[in-house]
Amino acid sequence: EAQVTQNPRYLITVTGKKLTVTCSQNMNHEYMSWYRQDPGLGLRQIYYSMNVEVTDKGDVPEGYKVSRKEKRNFPLILESPSPNQTSLYFCASSRGTKVETQYFGPGTRLTVL
Amino acid sequence: AQSVTQLDSHVSVSEGTPVLLRCNYSSSYSPSLFWYVQHPNKGLQLLLKYTSAATLVKGINGFEAEFKKSETSFHLTKPSAHMSDAAEYFCVVTLYGGATNKLIFGTGTLLAVQP
């Protein structure tokens, strides 16, 4: 089944404790992206990647890192999480860099205390 | 600059009555427009998309949307609401430029369906 998976689905952590949210897709998509969703703000793009070893900042990249060592994986790294990073995070992928339809993962709900 | 405005943050309808979720866009180019749906505790799923072909676009689950350039609108409709339609709906416009395009999301409309 074609899908985007994220782990963990739920995470509660404390300020400053490094964490990684994994994202994997099995559709051989070139383009992958991370979004955060906050009430009243819709989805905002954090980082995106056009292919292996190619990443770039989205609209809200501060406090986040990403890597794209393999085509299928695009982990999101919070080196020193803060409470304002409490949010719902979505990973998405699409076939080309000229993005049309994106396929979304199920989301990761992160709480930073 | 491209932007999208969803005019209602909450819409409540009775089961069996029509649904109208409103979306206006602003774009310097001929836009691509999408509606995505998010059910509780789920990821986003594409409902339908407009990419400069027919202005009336049919999607999944009986939803459709009409692209009206003169009104810069892309409202989502369904003739008869079902309880399973209760979800959050996002109108999305594509920002073109450079090596990659980007999706600009509206702030969402939460649809409640009353029995």
Side-chain angles (χ1 to χ4, degrees), chain B:
Chain B
Q2 279 81 353
S3 67
V4 60
T5 302
Q6 291 184 243
L7 296 161
D8 307 293
S9 58
H10 292 82
V11 170
S12 183
V13 301
S14 298
E15 191 174 22
T17 64
V19 176
L20 169 63
L21 305 184
R22 299 182 295 164
C23 173
N24 285 107
Y25 70 91
S26 170
S27 178
S28 304
Y29 308 92
S30 294
S32 291
L33 293 156
F34 307 79
W35 277 97
Y36 280 83
V37 61
Q38 183 181 24
H39 286 95
N41 299 312
K42 300 284 188 184
L44 280 77
Q45 179 185 19
L46 181 68
L47 264 184
L48 50 83
K49 66 179 179 181
Y50 166 78
T51 54
S52 75
T55 56
L56 183 62
V57 182
K58 294 187 183 299
I60 61 172
N61 300 333
F63 284 94
E64 61 183 37
E66 186 171 8
F67 173 71
K68 292 186 176 180
K69 187 174 182 179
S70 60
E71 298 176 12
T72 61
S73 69
F74 190 57
H75 301 333
L76 181 71
T77 61
K78 182 174 180 177
S80 176
H82 191 273
M83 295 297 290
S84 61
D85 294 329
E88 190 159 21
Y89 293 79
F90 292 93
C91 184
V92 184
V93 66
T94 303
L95 175 65
Y96 295 104
T100 182
N101 296 339
K102 182 175 158 182
L103 299 183
I104 308 296
F105 284 80
T107 53
T109 298
L110 192 61
L111 175 64
V113 182
Q114 310 298 330

Side-chain angles (χ1 to χ4, degrees), chain A residues 73-85:
Chain A
N73 296 324
F74 190 46
L76 179 70
I77 303 154
L78 284 71
E79 295 270 5
S80 182
S82 61
N84 65 10
Q85 293 178 298

